[in-house]
Amino acid sequence: MSPRKQYTPLSAAVDVEALFRLLEGRWKLVILFQLFGGKVQRFSDLERAITGISQKMLAQQLRQLEEDGIVTRTVHEQVPPKVDYRLTDWGQQLCPALDALLKWAECRDDYVASASSR
């Protein structure tokens, strides 16, 4: 493991902004939560589990997550074709970070109630 990068306030802000761009979009976090814990999901399973997402949007979001190294796509050579998705090791490491954000938000008593009503 390489030594940890030393950040300035500016470089930290720039890098965090770049990381948030990897996760931006209405559906990416929902997809990630469906895959946390080592779950392997077929496209159709994800589509059923995520209410309101279109096939086109799910495919687009999965493609972007795959290109960014967060999700891996496996094609099984069979008829009919079977494709499944799982988080990469790096993608799975997002789970504690997102959990920490949720715990941080809970520290503000009115946050969870107001965010849920939106």
Side-chain angles (χ1 to χ4, degrees), residues 15-101:
D15 285 359
V16 166
E17 185 177 1
L19 290 172
F20 280 146
R21 276 195 301 272
L22 290 177
L23 302 175
E24 74 184 350
R26 178 175 178 188
W27 302 106
K28 285 184 182 176
L29 290 173
V30 178
I31 293 167
L32 292 178
F33 278 99
Q34 291 295 324
L35 296 173
F36 280 141
K39 291 181 193 167
V40 178
Q41 297 275 345
R42 293 181 68 177
F43 185 90
S44 59
D45 296 332
L46 287 168
E47 187 178 19
R48 274 192 299 275
I50 303 171
T51 304
I53 194 168
S54 68
Q55 284 186 351
K56 179 181 176 182
M57 183 57 67
L58 179 58
Q60 178 184 335
Q61 299 286 276
L62 285 166
R63 196 174 312 112
Q64 288 173 0
L65 288 166
E66 183 182 11
E67 288 170 4
D68 291 332
I70 298 170
V71 167
T72 186
R73 176 180 186 259
T74 304
V75 179
H76 302 276
E77 299 299 327
Q78 64 185 49
V79 177
K82 178 182 171 186
V83 179
D84 59 44
Y85 298 87
R86 74 185 77 217
L87 293 175
T88 62
D89 289 341
W90 187 59
Q92 189 62 44
Q93 290 174 6
L94 276 168
C95 189
L98 294 175
D99 189 50
L101 283 173

